[in-house]
Amino acid sequence: MKPLPEMDKKFNPLDYLICLKKPHYISGFSACVEHIPFAFALIQMIKPQVFVELGTHYGDSYCVFCQTVKELNLNTRCYAVDTWAGDSHAGFYSPNLNILERLRSHHDPLYGDFSRLVQSTFDEAVRQFEDGSIDLLHLDGCHTYDAVKHDYETWLPKMSPRGVIIFHDTNVRERDFGVWKLWGELKGQYSHFEFVHGHGLGILGVGKNIPMDIQIFLSSSEEEILRIRRFFFELGNLQVQLEEKNKQLEERNKRIDELLNSWSWRITAPVRWLYANLIAKVRKK
């Protein structure tokens, strides 16, 4: 596909105020938190009929995509594909973590009418989708070069003429990560945009008739790219800070609960009661 022609209209992030929304679900463990604001905006830009995420793990990004579909009242079918067993990069999960069960407890009541969590390998799941049926695909599985290239080539025929593929970790060049290498090979073939913060996120317009909003986004000039990157970097950084504050608050509340339920706190309750009454009597005098 040739680069998109220059657009008269320029991309304005403030046309997508949903990017300022607070996510309903944050696991506290995900590496994609910094891209949550853009995930909100991306769904509004594309309005996909079918969205598939390969490699959902804790589910932070997937739940944001689903939240956007629901809030915009879109007619979108969503599918999260994962074994929930882990891999060499994410690590192999202990059954005691109950990752999938925790995700289901949030996901199913809110999004179960239009979304499915598919516990399967990517190669097994691909047979469930017709060629040309997927408008938006998020590749976030095993990140070695061979693995991500295999996933891309296997799922590319499933992309519709409106198709857009996003790749996480395009800016990681350690621990045998190879997304950056595949991204370097593909971005010369399609219109594209890359965020460099949050381990990198690449957006690739693989369809011949991608929606106008995403066309405008992908045709941004070098000056506009810097502005867009800065906007979503700042929003993503705020999201990280908010998550850290929430973690601190949860830890503080946990310590308070542990103290209130401790043996020493209960056994000293009469002493505290006598002390409080003594102070009250002194203040009355």
Side-chain angles (χ1 to χ4, degrees), residues 51-86:
F51 162 62
V52 177
E53 180 174 87
L54 303 182
T56 295
H57 201 174
Y58 292 104
D60 295 59
S61 64
Y62 187 73
C63 286
V64 166
F65 289 126
C66 288
Q67 180 181 339
T68 314
V69 167
K70 186 169 185 176
E71 295 198 12
L72 295 178
N73 196 29
L74 300 178
N75 185 28
T76 305
R77 300 294 301 175
C78 300
Y79 302 88
V81 182
D82 203 313
T83 61
W84 281 279

Side-chain angles (χ1 to χ4, degrees), residues 17-214:
L17 292 178
I18 197 166
C19 70
L20 304 177
K21 283 276 187 178
K22 179 181 177 182
H24 294 328
Y25 177 83
I26 293 291
S27 69
F29 304 102
S30 176
C32 67
V33 172
E34 292 175 84
H35 295 297
I36 282 176
F38 180 72
F40 277 118
L42 183 63
I43 291 292
Q44 185 176 354
M45 278 190 266
I46 298 175
K47 298 181 177 64
Q49 293 184 355
V50 176
F51 162 62
V52 177
E53 180 174 87
L54 303 182
T56 295
H57 201 174
Y58 292 104
D60 295 59
S61 64
Y62 187 73
C63 286
V64 166
F65 289 126
C66 288
Q67 180 181 339
T68 314
V69 167
K70 186 169 185 176
E71 295 198 12
L72 295 178
N73 196 29
L74 300 178
N75 185 28
T76 305
R77 300 294 301 175
C78 300
Y79 302 88
V81 182
D82 203 313
T83 61
W84 281 279
D87 57 41
S88 58
H89 283 147
F92 293 96
Y93 314 155
S94 167
N96 297 329
L97 292 177
N98 297 320
I99 294 173
L100 180 56
E101 289 76 8
R102 180 184 176 187
L103 176 57
R104 284 196 186 283
S105 67
H106 171 80
H107 167 277
D108 291 0
L110 291 175
Y111 313 125
D113 58 333
F114 63 86
S115 171
R116 285 179 54 205
L117 303 180
V118 182
Q119 192 169 14
S120 166
T121 66
F122 302 163
D123 285 353
E124 291 168 346
V126 74
R127 296 192 293 268
Q128 301 180 31
F129 297 88
E130 295 182 1
D131 286 359
S133 64
I134 300 173
D135 296 327
L136 177 61
L137 176 68
H138 182 195
L139 288 179
D140 199 16
C142 185
H143 285 30
T144 65
Y145 172 78
D146 289 339
V148 71
K149 183 178 182 180
H150 172 78
D151 293 339
Y152 167 77
E153 292 178 343
T154 301
W155 286 80
L156 183 61
K158 306 300 177 180
M159 301 306 298
S160 78
R162 303 175 71 248
V164 174
I165 302 178
I166 53 178
F167 299 78
H168 191 217
D169 292 318
T170 56
N171 200 28
V172 180
R173 304 192 178 207
E174 56 198 33
R175 293 196 299 131
D176 200 28
F177 275 60
V179 182
W180 64 271
K181 184 178 178 181
L182 179 64
W183 176 253
E185 295 171 1
L186 295 176
K187 66 182 183 180
Q189 304 175 36
Y190 300 101
S191 56
H192 64 278
F193 190 106
E194 182 181 11
F195 292 104
V196 294
H197 70 280
H199 306 294
L201 185 73
I203 301 93
L204 202 68
V206 298
K208 295 181 179 180
N209 297 305
I210 59 177
M212 181 57 66
D213 283 11
I214 198 72

Side-chain angles (χ1 to χ4, degrees), residues 1-7 187-192 218-219:
M1 178 178 176
K2 296 181 180 179
L4 295 171
E6 185 176 352
M7 300 288 174
K187 66 182 183 180
Q189 304 175 36
Y190 300 101
S191 56
H192 64 278
L218 295 178
S219 65

